[in-house]
């Protein structure tokens, strides 16, 4: 095999790694970035020429006229996979084809860099996308369908935390235990591994995963801290009942914005809510957000606020989508809003240890990967849970992709 590749298709970003000239290299995308954000923009004036990555987001945010989508990997394993969505009146596309076209773009960039067709690729998958799932609607079956449509002829799968373990195994002492926490945008996945005497391979003791990640943290942060300004958890003027939460949950979720928010059904519900609302002016802002298809823009602002709070105790937030109200957002507000999600993620790591038959205190190494691991509260809770373990977090955004290539090299005897 001449051209081998590791493909880390992520909810937030995608990385393609190759072995070229005897070196492991991450394929450069736009502006020589080593990752490509999992986002797409369909310009109305050229609907058949979608734009990907940061360019897609920037075009949309700067009032580009078209349809924007992000984090579409989470459509895998759902009923939306074989459904259509409207790009503009009279033009529809299957969600399956959105993912296929995005990965075709990744494959073309990779093969342009390699100077030839991909002979073999190892593709990362969340633990929950298991081969044990049955039927055409399972996530793994859908992912296989995508890879075949993209044009990959020879491929295999590897759970993402195991890929990260492959990358880091040389840093781990022999005869020791490690837990790998791959904390991504759509899922958080774990593996407990033992390192053999000769370090030639890994002893996989257990894996576990949960369909929660950075996108769910964004959603909770939006709902609890920002969306009350749009009428979330406010009451109607007749019976004092709380207004329906459904459109707010749709507007706070990257995936549900794409699949469910911009529909006649949701628009009808919001108009009804305005008629009933005690604080009508708040819900009118939600209606405007939906009509102008700007929910992604607001959620992007909220995500950036989350990221900035990693280094700040508090900051001021203002947005044209919230009547230019200035909000003081503190790190404690963020942590209170997301603590429930993070607790479930840590509990899944504990379950992995239980399945492996080991105690958390017997773990020698804690390996953190993925963008969600950058959140201070996440790192703190994992360090407290695995208090005896040495922390490894270098190359946290790249280790899965690099580990996938290590497995591809092993399979190809390179």
């Amino acid at each position: 095999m001449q051209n081998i590749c590791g493909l880390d298709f992520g909810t937030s970003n995608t990385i393609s790694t190759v072995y070229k000239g005897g070196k492991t290299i991450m394929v450069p995308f736009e502006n020589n970035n080593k990752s490509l954000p999992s986002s797409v923009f369909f310009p109305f004036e050229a609907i058949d020429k979608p734009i990907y990555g940061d360019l897609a987001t920037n075009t949309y945010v700067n009032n580009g006229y078209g349809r924007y989508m992000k984090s579409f990997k989470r459509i895998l394993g759902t009923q939306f996979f074989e459904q259509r969505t409207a790009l503009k009146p009279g033009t529809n596309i299957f969600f399956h084809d959105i993912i296929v076209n995005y990965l075709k773009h990744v494959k073309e960039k990779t093969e342009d860099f390699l100077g030839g067709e991909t002979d073999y690729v190892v593709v990362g998958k969340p633990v929950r996308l298991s081969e044990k799932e049955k039927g055409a609607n399972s996530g793994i079956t859908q992912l296989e369908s995508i890879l075949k449509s993209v044009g990959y002829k020879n491929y295999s799968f590897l759970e993402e935390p195991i890929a990260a373990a492959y990358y880091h195994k040389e840093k781990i002492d022999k005869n020791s235990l490690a837990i790998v926490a791959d904390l991504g945008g759509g899922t958080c996945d774990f593996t407990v591994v033992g390192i053999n005497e000769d370090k030639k391979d890994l002893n996989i003791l257990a894996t576990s995963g949960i369909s929660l990640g950075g996108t769910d943290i964004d959603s909770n942060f939006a709902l609890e801290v920002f969306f009350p300004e749009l009428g979330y958890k406010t009451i109607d003027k007749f019976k004092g009942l709380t207004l329906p939460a459904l459109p707010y949950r749709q507007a706070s979720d990257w995936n549900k914005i794409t699949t469910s928010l911009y529909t006649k059904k949701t628009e009808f519900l919001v108009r009804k809510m305005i008629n009933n609302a005690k604080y009508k002016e708040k819900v009118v802002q939600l209606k405007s957000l939906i009509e102008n298809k700007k929910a992604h823009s607001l959620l992007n602002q909220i995500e950036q606020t989350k990221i900035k709070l990693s280094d700040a105790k508090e900051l001021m937030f203002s947005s044209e989508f919230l009547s230019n109200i200035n909000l003081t957002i503190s790190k404690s507000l963020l942590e209170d809003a997301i603590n429930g999600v993070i607790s479930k993620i840590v509990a899944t790591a504990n379950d992995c240890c239980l399945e492996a038959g080991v105690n958390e205190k017997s773990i020698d190494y804690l390996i953190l990967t993925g963008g969600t691991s950058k959140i201070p509260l996440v790192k703190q809770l994992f360090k407290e849970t695995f208090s005896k373990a040495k922390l490894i977090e270098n190359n946290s955004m790249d280790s899965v992709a690099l580990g996938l290539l290590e497995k591809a090299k092993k399979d190809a005897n390179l």
Side-chain angles (χ1 to χ4, degrees):
M1 289 184 279
Q2 296 297 313
N3 294 325
I4 61 170
C5 176
L7 177 62
D8 181 15
F9 168 39
T11 301
S12 301
N13 295 282
T14 295
I15 299 176
S16 179
T17 51
V18 296
Y19 192 61
K20 182 178 180 181
K23 295 180 179 179
T24 293
I25 304 173
M26 285 181 279
V27 174
F29 292 103
E30 56 188 7
N31 298 320
N32 286 320
N33 290 329
K34 60 187 177 183
S35 64
L36 181 72
S38 300
S39 53
V40 58
F41 183 78
F42 294 90
F44 284 165
E45 70 275 11
I47 206 76
D48 59 338
K49 296 179 181 178
I51 304 166
Y52 298 105
D54 282 330
L55 183 58
T57 301
N58 293 337
T59 303
Y60 164 74
V61 168
N62 291 309
N63 296 314
Y65 192 49
R67 179 76 192 277
Y68 176 78
M69 302 179 198
K70 179 177 177 176
S71 300
F72 33 76
K73 182 183 177 182
R74 295 199 91 176
I75 292 167
L76 289 173
T78 74
Q79 75 273 21
F80 294 104
F81 183 75
E82 291 296 351
Q83 293 182 14
R84 293 176 181 264
T85 186
L87 297 181
K88 68 177 185 178
T91 304
N92 300 316
I93 189 171
F94 285 105
F95 285 111
H96 167 276
D97 293 338
I98 292 169
I99 301 176
V100 167
N101 292 338
Y102 172 80
L103 288 180
K104 278 185 176 179
H105 177 74
V106 172
K107 184 172 183 283
E108 287 169 4
K109 291 289 185 181
T110 300
E111 293 179 345
D112 285 346
F113 183 75
L114 280 171
E117 187 176 4
T118 304
D119 296 306
Y120 175 62
V121 59
V122 177
V123 182
K125 66 170 184 176
V127 170
R128 291 288 291 271
L129 283 180
S130 167
E131 288 91 341
K132 295 178 182 177
E133 293 177 288
K134 303 295 182 183
N137 293 324
S138 72
I140 192 65
T141 302
Q142 293 175 351
L143 184 55
E144 284 201 80
S145 168
I146 287 167
L147 293 174
K148 290 174 182 176
S149 297
V150 169
Y152 288 113
K153 296 174 182 177
N154 299 296
Y155 59 85
S156 66
F157 295 110
L158 184 66
E159 282 89 350
E160 288 157 358
I162 296 176
Y166 265 102
Y167 173 71
H168 285 293
K169 71 176 183 176
E170 295 303 322
K171 304 180 186 73
I172 303 172
D173 290 339
K174 60 186 179 182
N175 300 321
S176 61
L177 289 173
I179 185 166
V180 181
D182 178 33
L183 311 178
T187 62
C188 288
D189 299 299
F190 308 92
T191 186
V192 175
V193 299
I195 304 301
N196 298 332
E197 182 74 26
D198 57 8
K199 284 194 176 186
K200 286 185 178 179
D201 213 342
L202 303 169
N203 182 17
I204 309 299
L205 301 179
T207 58
S208 67
I210 186 170
S211 295
L212 290 174
T215 55
D216 302 282
I217 288 171
D218 294 342
S219 180
N220 276 39
F221 190 30
L223 284 169
E224 298 301 324
V225 177
F226 300 89
F227 280 20
E229 300 296 330
L230 298 174
Y232 179 60
K233 289 187 176 179
T234 61
I235 59 175
D236 68 30
K237 61 187 178 184
F238 300 111
K239 298 181 180 179
L241 300 175
T242 303
L243 293 176
L246 179 62
Y248 298 103
R249 296 194 179 281
Q250 292 172 343
S252 69
D253 186 299
W254 295 109
N255 186 37
K256 290 177 182 174
I257 293 171
T258 297
T259 60
S260 308
L261 182 65
Y262 302 137
T263 63
K264 296 295 183 184
K265 183 177 180 180
T266 300
E267 289 178 5
F268 177 79
L269 174 59
V270 172
R271 286 197 298 270
K272 184 178 179 181
M273 288 164 57
I274 290 173
N275 291 332
N276 296 341
K278 183 175 181 179
Y279 305 104
K280 178 178 178 179
E281 69 282 358
K282 291 180 179 287
V283 189
V284 167
Q285 291 183 104
L286 174 65
K287 178 174 177 286
S288 176
L289 191 76
I290 294 171
E291 286 180 345
N292 293 307
K293 294 182 171 54
K294 287 297 182 179
H296 277 114
S297 289
L298 176 57
L299 201 53
N300 182 63
Q301 293 172 353
I302 293 170
E303 181 190 30
Q304 293 306 309
T305 301
K306 175 196 73 175
I307 293 169
K308 291 175 184 176
L309 284 171
S310 292
D311 300 315
K313 288 187 177 181
E314 68 176 34
L315 48 81
M316 296 301 296
F317 178 89
S318 64
S319 170
E320 64 271 33
F321 310 115
L322 299 179
S323 294
N324 295 315
I325 294 173
N326 289 318
L327 301 174
T328 301
I329 310 298
S330 66
K331 185 173 290 187
S332 61
L333 270 177
L334 167 64
E335 292 179 347
D336 288 345
I338 67 177
N339 187 66
V341 174
I342 296 172
S343 296
K344 291 178 182 178
I345 292 169
V346 175
T348 307
N350 290 334
D351 291 342
C352 193
C353 290
L354 187 64
E355 186 178 339
V358 302
N359 184 278
E360 291 88 348
K361 306 303 179 187
S362 65
I363 298 293
D364 301 299
Y365 292 89
L366 168 62
I367 300 172
L368 294 180
T369 71
T372 301
S373 70
K374 301 294 186 183
I375 299 173
L377 180 61
V378 173
K379 188 181 298 187
Q380 173 192 330
L381 291 178
F382 270 92
K383 287 172 70 175
E384 290 174 359
T385 301
F386 301 97
S387 57
K388 303 292 185 183
K390 179 180 178 181
L391 176 64
I392 297 176
E393 55 179 342
N394 57 308
N395 281 35
S396 60
M397 304 301 291
D398 314 326
S399 56
V400 169
L402 294 168
L404 292 169
L405 186 66
E406 287 303 309
K407 182 61 164 58
K409 287 163 60 178
K410 180 182 178 190
D411 291 346
N413 296 315
L414 294 176

